[in-house]
Amino acid sequence: CWYEVLPQAVLNNTAPAHSVPLLLANHGGGDDHLMFLDETGLLLTAGEKGFAIVAPMHSGITFIAGEAFARLVKHMLDTYPALDPERVWVTGYSMGGMATYNCIGTHPELYAAAAPMAMPLQNLSEETKELYKKYDLPAMLITSTYDFAAWDTQANHLNDGGNFFLQTYCGFNGIAPVKAFDYETYPVIGRPFDSFELKTVNGEWRNGEWLICNKQGVPMMGLNVTEYLQHSLWPGYGDIVYNFVKHYRRCKETGEIVYTE
């Protein structure tokens, strides 16, 4: 089963065709699809920004998410003409982050951007490597400094799986992977980057975001880190996800990523 979060104009078919983005949102292992939407703030963000969400229940079937959720996304696009097939984004927390990697590793052509949360990249199939010879995919890992899944709390930077994510998707997006991570020169991210923003969220949590651009100057890779948060859902994540993915669409005619400020 799944939840659909839809603007009223999508439900009553008064919104223009292909005018509303769709976010595939994958819950974690300790929560369900509605709890995930509520406690990450995605529900509120969707209401404020006017995008649609489809949130499947996937406990026990994460390993088939790549194929199953592609069919779910296509069902949503076929059912609601207002949804935009060029702006389908995907995110997920913890186990949902694993499902997100599964989705973009199986059908990257379906998604315009991905924002996995609190989950390192653990492995990569040969089939996925072949797919990414054809498709770029903007991706940002979202984590925190007490997140046991993606973060090395003693070293205060990403763990090996987080580094593997950066290396792998930099390569897929035409950005040169580094030979070795240099945390003395580049604390936290360990490699050169093109932009950095530090802000305080809700007046209490410091949040940093690093972006890495391809040769055309398009920010295709990102890392977002909030200080002191544990591996748990947090209302600020909804805005962080949207503020990254909103810039991207995938042209249906060419398959290329289009970036807008």
Side-chain angles (χ1 to χ4, degrees), residues 82-104:
L83 299 183
D84 187 357
E86 294 193 343
R87 289 182 294 166
V88 177
W89 310 313
V90 56
T91 189
Y93 192 88
S94 191
M95 182 181 72
M98 187 182 302
T100 299
Y101 289 131
N102 196 322
C103 290
I104 61 178

Side-chain angles (χ1 to χ4, degrees), residues 1-3 25 27 31-38 55-57:
C1 64
W2 62 87
Y3 281 105
H27 68 85
D31 54 274
D32 62 24
H33 33 3
L34 187 57
M35 185 187 301
F36 169 65
L37 295 182
D38 187 23
M57 172 66 81

Side-chain angles (χ1 to χ4, degrees), residues 161-201:
N163 290 339
F164 182 47
F165 162 81
L166 284 181
Q167 291 283 71
T168 299
Y169 278 87
C170 276
F172 287 159
N173 285 305
I175 301 167
V178 295
K179 294 181 179 180
F181 285 87
D182 179 3
Y183 290 107
E184 290 187 7
T185 306
Y186 307 103
V188 183
I189 195 169
R191 59 151 296 142
F193 54 90
D194 294 288
S195 69
F196 171 69
E197 181 181 8
L198 179 66
K199 57 186 176 182
T200 301
V201 182

Side-chain angles (χ1 to χ4, degrees), residues 23-28 36 58 62-63 65-66 69 89-108 111 113-121 132 137-141 165 169 241 245:
L23 176 69
L24 170 63
N26 303 315
H27 68 85
F36 169 65
H58 63 99
T62 298
F63 68 99
F69 294 173
W89 310 313
V90 56
T91 189
Y93 192 88
S94 191
M95 182 181 72
M98 187 182 302
T100 299
Y101 289 131
N102 196 322
C103 290
I104 61 178
T106 307
H107 285 284
Y111 305 99
M117 295 186 278
M119 177 53 62
L121 182 63
Y132 277 104
L137 183 71
M140 182 171 72
L141 177 59
F165 162 81
Y169 278 87
V241 169
V245 301

Side-chain angles (χ1 to χ4, degrees), residues 145-147 151-159:
T145 59
Y146 284 92
D147 171 21
W151 196 259
D152 185 332
T153 54
Q154 291 185 336
N156 199 33
H157 57 66
L158 288 175
N159 61 18

